[in-house]
Amino acid sequence: QVQLVESGGGLVQPGGSLRLSCAASGSIFRVNAMGWYRQAPGKQRELVANIASGGTTNYADSVKDRFTISRDNAKNTVYLQMNSLKPEDTAIYYCNAAVKITIFTNEKNYWGQGTQVTVSS
């Protein structure tokens, strides 16, 4: 089984910064794409950013130039550096990873439990 454990959420004032981390552990052959999604109250879950194993990144327009996604392949960990935070960034942030558990199996998507980010004065 594969587990994704997130950390780093919290309460921050507008204009502040937070760094989220997500570590994948368990029976892992290879972690392919990793990413962050968020879900605000009453809204659908949306992609924030993702990163391929080779480092190619993709961002939602709403967070470009403010958020930076990165990863440490040796640690199977993905990070999200969030700067210039706005109240509209308030949401539960979920980590996602596409994982192959053996060389013979197809990759499967796994989700973390979510971490709350609240931007408020």
Side-chain angles (χ1 to χ4, degrees), residues 55-73:
T56 300
T57 59
N58 177 51
Y59 294 91
D61 288 342
S62 59
V63 306
K64 280 180 182 176
D65 300 323
R66 298 189 299 123
F67 292 8
T68 302
I69 190 169
S70 60
R71 64 188 289 170
D72 184 334
N73 289 335

Side-chain angles (χ1 to χ4, degrees), residues 94-114:
Y94 296 92
C95 174
N96 174 269
V99 179
K100 286 176 67 70
I101 61 173
T102 76
I103 193 172
F104 303 109
T105 55
N106 294 328
E107 69 178 30
K108 179 181 175 182
N109 270 315
Y110 292 88
W111 292 90
Q113 78 285 358

Side-chain angles (χ1 to χ4, degrees), residues 80-121:
L80 186 69
Q81 178 66 42
M82 303 185 293
N83 299 328
S84 302
L85 282 159
K86 305 175 180 179
E88 51 263 43
D89 294 317
T90 296
I92 299 175
Y93 283 69
Y94 296 92
C95 174
N96 174 269
V99 179
K100 286 176 67 70
I101 61 173
T102 76
I103 193 172
F104 303 109
T105 55
N106 294 328
E107 69 178 30
K108 179 181 175 182
N109 270 315
Y110 292 88
W111 292 90
Q113 78 285 358
T115 185
Q116 177 71 47
V117 171
T118 302
V119 185
S120 175
S121 55

Side-chain angles (χ1 to χ4, degrees), residues 5 9 16-17 22-23 25 27-28 32 37 56-57 60 71 76 86 89 95 103 114 116:
V5 178
S17 298
C22 172
S25 63
S27 179
I28 296 173
N32 293 329
Y37 289 72
T56 300
T57 59
R71 64 188 289 170
N76 290 328
K86 305 175 180 179
D89 294 317
C95 174
I103 193 172
Q116 177 71 47

